């Protein structure tokens, strides 16, 4: 069976759209009948990645590849990149601007959460060029 | 329509004539006369403080009952986002929204949905309309009325955008007309309300001639029925996805939510009626001219603190924060970057500060003020409230306005009595002095 491929553009200019793509991925996984815990983990990880893409990465694209065994997500942006990945991965580290902090973002928990809720997480990033985050959640 | 319709009312039978409400009222709109509280309707802003403070539950908000739904062919529930914070262990707003129809509603339209549109409109408004700074939200009707009564010079700072509940009512009715083919008046739009101020605003609309809301059900009235209906929903039941709002929409239930929805970090939010008054005083002084946007909520914590809610506002807030986590930032936005004219207020907001003026003309007002000063010297300055006015100054004001006489002051009366050398007849004394003070007098 061919994997299901989903593709979403994520606007970097309209913050109010953030979270839409991950919502759609979550809906698709529900419809496909994946266990609730798998759907939840993927949804949270993609959500965090998508919000980062909008707040820090200036928007980009999300691709999902779904097979019965594994859900793979790639989030790609052409933003400023992450200068120090291990620092960014630390809980509580955040460079989020004030206007989104008031909405509850900027706790510096996004990347650590992605790590926590996925089985594989690879960050490829280059300052000035952009960031690509590849995630995998296995359906055990 | 009575120009001074108020949702906040007094149950005379329950009122014991104590001083709790007169002391708490932010606009000094309550007096105790002949042993019962009286609300001065020109001053009341329906903030609900007296409902919260009255130990005898003598203050209440007039609202509709679920039976009222029967007057319409098609009934729509507009749940306030504050409703979502009332339930323990709720992890899906759709459970509430799917339970509402079993209480007699044909459709549900979330106010948080309209709130996200109003957030969009507010962003554009601040960007394009160049409003006087600081722009003040018009969403809390108690605050709008507070400005009209006590801070009329700030009326131009109020953002003339529909309140989310009005916008929700408009959209819900349009949707229902399109769906059912019924006439607009055959459709009943009912707000599930956290507060009396909103209920008042439907009867006496702000910024429009006619409200889009036909009735209001108090959250604490519907709560037990809704809870039962929600319990009937099985966890395996297929829920209809009626929840169509995100972080911003739900945020409107708590203080700071509306401000954060502007995505402007030069915004300020204050809650609780006394804090609101302090901020408005700062605005009056010109100290906040550099702030872009001010959100004010009469209730502590925002609408979750409304006097008709069922749950403690702090608990409700923490639940809402959990509920909205991992939600889209917003699920509703304007189709274009233009503000639709129907989302703006169609009628200007007028001051209603006449009631606060001492007299119609300055000469007379000055004369009254001097007389007040004189009177104040003869009062003890205890602000005890036993006279039925919230404080000595308020009594002096009531006297010069001709509503009562200085003899209401028990301490002054006591002084006068002491001046009378021989009080032969103690019964005569008891007639004049209120019960709590008789003992002290006798000892003298
Ligand atoms: N796509 C990205 N492009 C550039 N920088 C990023 C990107 N994603 C994350 N970062 C950087 O890593 C930091 C940590 O990210 P993380 O998601 O953990 O926290 P946050 O987004 O600041 O706050 P939270 O996710 O808790 O709301 C960010 O503040 C930002 O500096
Ligand atoms: S803060 Fe909300 S609940 Fe309280 S009076 Fe204002 S609109 Fe009503
Ligand atoms: Mg993040």
């Amino acid at each position: 069976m061919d994997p299901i491929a989903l593709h979403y553009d994520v606007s970097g200019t309209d913050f109010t759209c953030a979270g839409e793509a991950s919502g759609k991925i979550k809906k698709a996984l529900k419809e496909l009948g994946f266990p609730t815990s798998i759907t939840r983990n993927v949804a949270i990880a993609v959500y965090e990645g998508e919000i980062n893409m909008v707040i820090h990465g200036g928007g980009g694209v999300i691709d999902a590849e779904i097979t019965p065994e594994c859900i793979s997500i790639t989030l790609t942006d052409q933003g400023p990149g992450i200068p120090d990945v291990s620092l960014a991965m630390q809980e509580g580290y955040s460079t989020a601007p004030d206007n989104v902090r008031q909405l509850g973002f900027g706790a510096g928990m996004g990347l650590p959460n992605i790590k926590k809720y996925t089985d594989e997480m690879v960050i490829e990033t280059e300052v000035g060029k952009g960031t690509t985050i590849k995630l995998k959640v296995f359906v055990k | 329509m009575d120009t001074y319709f108020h949702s906040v009312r007094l149950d005379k039978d329950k009122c014991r004539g104590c001083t709790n409400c007169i002391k708490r009222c932010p606009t000094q709109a309550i007096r105790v006369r002949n042993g019962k509280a009286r609300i001065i309707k020109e001053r009341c802003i329906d903030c609900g403080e007296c409902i919260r403070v009255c130990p005898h539950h003598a203050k209440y908000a007039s609202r509709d009952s679920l039976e009222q739904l029967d007057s319409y062919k098609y009934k729509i529930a507009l749940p306030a986002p504050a409703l979502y914070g009332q339930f323990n262990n709720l992890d899906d707003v759709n459970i509430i929204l799917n339970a509402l129809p079993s209480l007699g509603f044909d459709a549900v339209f979330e106010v948080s949905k309209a709130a996200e549109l109003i957030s969009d409109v507010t962003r554009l408004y601040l960007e394009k309309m160049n409003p006087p700074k600081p722009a003040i939200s018009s969403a809390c009707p108690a605050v709008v009325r507070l400005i009209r009564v006590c801070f009329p010079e700030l009326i131009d700072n109020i953002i003339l955008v529909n309140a989310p509940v009005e916008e929700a009512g408009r959209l819900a009715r349009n949707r229902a007309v399109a769906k059912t083919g019924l006439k607009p008046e055959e459709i009943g739009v009912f707000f599930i309300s956290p507060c009396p101020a909103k209920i008042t605003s439907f009867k006496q609309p702000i910024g429009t001639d006619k409200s889009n809301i036909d009735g209001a059900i108090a959250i604490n009235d519907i709560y037990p029925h809704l809870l039962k209906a929600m319990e009937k929903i099985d966890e395996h039941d297929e829920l209809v996805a009626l929840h169509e709002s995100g972080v911003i929409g739900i945020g409107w239930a708590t203080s700071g939510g509306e401000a954060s929805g502007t995505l402007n970090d030069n915004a300020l939010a204050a809650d609780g009626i006394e804090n609101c008054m302090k901020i408005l005083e700062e605005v009056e002084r010109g100290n906040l001219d550099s702030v872009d946007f001010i959100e004010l909520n009469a209730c502590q914590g925002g609408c979750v603190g409304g006097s008709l809610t069922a749950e403690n506002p702090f608990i409700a807030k923490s639940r809402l924060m959990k509920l909205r986590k991992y939600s889209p930032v917003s699920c509703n936005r304007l189709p274009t970057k233009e503000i639709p004219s129907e989302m703006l207020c169609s009628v200007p907001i007028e001051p209603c500060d006449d009631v606060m003026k001492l007299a119609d003309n300055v000469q007379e007002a000055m004369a009254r003020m001097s007389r007040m000063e004189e009177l104040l010297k003869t009062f003890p300055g205890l602000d005890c409230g036993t006279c039925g006015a919230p404080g000595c100054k308020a009594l002096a004001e009531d006297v010069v306005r001709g509503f009562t006489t200085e003899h209401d002051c028990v301490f002054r009366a006591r002084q006068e009595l002491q001046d009378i050398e021989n009080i032969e007849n103690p019964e005569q004394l008891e007639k004049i002095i209120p019960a709590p003070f008789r003992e002290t007098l006798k000892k003298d």
Side-chain angles (χ1 to χ4, degrees):
Chain A
M1 201 186 349
D2 285 342
I4 291 179
L6 303 171
H7 174 89
Y8 302 96
D9 292 323
V10 176
S11 159
T13 50
D14 191 349
F15 183 63
T16 66
C17 296
E20 263 179 17
S22 48
K24 287 179 186 154
I25 292 175
K26 182 179 175 183
K27 191 155 175 270
L29 294 178
K30 266 193 186 169
E31 281 166 3
L32 291 168
F34 281 100
T36 338
S37 60
I38 298 286
T39 305
R40 186 177 138 259
N41 292 356
V42 175
I44 293 177
V46 184
Y47 180 85
E48 295 287 10
E50 180 183 4
I51 299 281
N52 280 356
M53 204 180 229
V54 181
I55 298 179
H56 312 291
V61 294
I62 301 180
D63 285 285
E65 199 181 278
I66 305 168
T67 69
E69 298 78 34
C70 178
I71 297 146
S72 316
I73 310 276
T74 309
L75 304 109
T76 312
D77 68 58
Q78 266 84 49
I82 306 175
D84 184 340
V85 174
S86 61
L87 182 63
M89 285 298 295
Q90 279 178 22
E91 291 188 1
Y93 176 81
S94 172
T95 60
D98 281 344
N99 66 338
V100 303
R101 283 177 188 269
Q102 273 140 12
L103 280 169
F105 300 103
M109 289 304 293
L111 291 176
N113 264 340
I114 298 178
K115 178 100 193 137
K116 182 171 152 196
Y117 287 106
T118 57
D119 298 309
E120 272 177 30
M121 172 186 188
V122 180
I123 303 181
E124 292 159 10
T125 182
E126 201 181 327
V127 173
K129 290 251 168 71
T131 302
T132 298
I133 301 184
K134 292 182 177 160
L135 313 174
K136 275 194 169 89
V137 172
F138 297 109
V139 187
K140 276 148 273 186
Chain B
M1 177 54 55
D2 178 359
T3 355
Y4 291 111
F5 170 91
H6 284 290
S7 166
V8 175
R9 308 278 170 86
L10 176 79
D11 181 340
K12 272 220 169 83
D13 295 336
K14 288 187 180 163
C15 177
R16 305 264 291 270
C18 68
T19 59
N20 283 296
C21 60
I22 54 174
K23 302 290 257 178
R24 183 74 160 261
C25 176
T27 55
Q28 302 203 321
I30 313 176
R31 299 290 183 274
V32 174
R33 294 268 179 267
N34 301 321
K36 300 284 173 192
R38 234 198 82 226
I39 305 174
I40 305 169
K41 49 188 199 290
E42 293 86 346
R43 286 191 177 193
C44 172
I45 61 169
D46 291 287
C47 62
E49 287 296 310
C50 55
I51 296 182
R52 269 185 278 259
V53 75
C54 177
H56 311 295
H57 306 291
K59 294 290 197 326
Y60 68 98
S62 87
R63 69 279 208 127
D64 297 308
S65 67
L66 284 167
E67 279 85 72
Q68 237 86 26
L69 299 184
D70 300 338
S71 337
Y72 299 90
K73 284 199 179 142
Y74 189 87
K75 306 105 184 166
I76 310 172
L78 304 187
L83 178 69
Y84 306 163
Q86 308 293 309
F87 306 94
N88 208 1
N89 292 327
L90 179 80
D91 56 5
D92 187 352
V93 173
N94 278 314
I95 298 175
I96 304 176
L97 305 181
N98 279 256
L100 277 168
S102 65
L103 304 181
F105 295 101
D106 299 291
V108 178
F109 194 104
E110 295 185 280
V111 173
S112 50
K113 201 171 148 59
E116 294 192 336
L117 292 172
I118 296 303
S119 284
D120 235 13
V121 171
T122 306
R123 261 174 255 129
L124 285 174
Y125 192 98
L126 295 175
E127 205 178 287
K128 294 191 173 177
M129 313 272 274
N130 221 355
K133 272 203 197 182
I136 302 174
S137 161
S138 58
C140 174
V143 167
V144 172
R145 185 139 168 95
L146 175 68
I147 295 174
R148 295 173 67 200
V149 174
C150 300
F151 301 91
E153 60 281 27
L154 302 182
I155 281 187
D156 291 340
N157 295 61
I158 301 177
I159 297 188
L160 297 172
V161 164
N162 287 350
V165 62
E166 286 295 334
E167 188 54 29
R170 191 178 72 82
L171 294 170
R173 194 185 306 272
N174 289 349
R175 198 191 249 189
V177 168
K179 187 177 166 192
T180 63
L182 290 170
K183 295 197 200 89
E185 60 274 19
E186 292 174 317
I187 291 160
V189 179
F190 288 83
F191 181 46
I192 316 290
S193 181
C195 88
K198 287 280 182 202
I199 300 179
T200 298
S201 77
F202 307 145
K203 298 272 189 330
Q204 220 180 284
I206 307 160
T208 169
D209 287 325
K210 197 186 170 308
S211 167
N212 296 309
I213 313 299
D214 300 303
I217 316 267
I219 287 185
N220 55 12
D221 282 345
I222 204 170
Y223 183 75
H225 307 286
L226 191 52
L227 202 59
K228 253 190 226 136
M230 284 165 66
E231 276 162 9
K232 283 203 193 106
I233 293 180
D234 206 276
E235 65 175 284
H236 305 294
D237 282 354
E238 200 50 55
L239 293 176
V240 189
L242 295 171
H243 180 41
E244 303 175 287
S245 45
V247 174
I248 290 180
I250 292 185
W252 275 73
T254 50
S255 175
E258 183 193 359
S260 63
T262 62
L263 304 179
N264 183 326
D265 47 20
N266 190 20
L268 179 160
D271 55 287
I273 193 75
E274 278 173 21
N275 293 327
C276 291
M277 291 179 87
K278 282 188 193 136
I279 293 294
L280 290 170
E281 281 159 18
E282 290 298 323
V283 177
E284 252 183 348
R285 288 191 203 113
N287 289 344
L288 296 174
D289 289 354
S290 60
V291 173
D292 288 333
F293 177 82
I294 296 186
E295 168 192 343
L296 297 174
N297 290 286
C299 299
Q300 192 178 65
C303 296
V304 284
S307 56
L308 305 181
T309 56
E311 184 54 279
N312 170 291
F314 300 98
I315 297 176
K317 179 178 178 181
S318 103
R319 287 183 188 152
L320 288 172
M321 291 303 147
K322 254 210 226 131
L323 263 181
R324 71 176 205 177
K325 210 168 179 202
Y326 303 125
S327 296
V329 171
S330 176
C331 301
N332 304 277
R333 56 192 64 81
L334 297 174
T336 66
K337 289 276 163 215
E338 295 300 321
I339 304 178
S341 59
E342 4 15 306
M343 292 198 183
L344 294 171
C345 296
S346 53
V347 174
I349 297 174
E350 302 287 352
C352 39
D353 58 327
D354 283 351
V355 59
M356 296 314 235
K357 291 180 187 152
L358 277 177
D360 292 338
N361 66 72
V362 182
Q363 268 89 11
E364 176 61 21
M366 282 172 65
R368 286 185 173 180
M369 190 169 285
S370 322
R371 168 116 176 79
M372 265 174 72
E373 298 294 322
E374 288 308 308
L375 274 171
L376 263 174
K377 285 182 200 151
T378 71
F379 297 153
L382 293 176
D383 291 334
C384 69
T386 318
C387 58
C392 301
K393 185 155 181 269
L395 177 62
E397 197 185 317
D398 288 353
V399 174
V400 301
R401 286 175 189 276
F403 297 141
T404 186
T405 68
E406 56 269 45
H407 305 297
D408 281 359
C409 174
V410 287
F411 292 90
R412 201 186 133 114
R414 170 180 155 178
Q415 192 58 49
E416 279 168 359
L417 280 169
Q418 277 172 353
D419 292 347
I420 305 169
E421 264 171 0
N422 293 319
I423 306 168
E424 306 266 83
N425 184 357
E427 275 153 40
Q428 183 194 352
L429 190 148
E430 291 194 1
K431 264 188 206 151
I432 317 171
I433 307 296
F437 293 89
R438 282 173 204 155
E439 287 307 310
T440 24
L441 273 174
K442 274 184 198 154
K443 270 177 217 136
D444 277 346

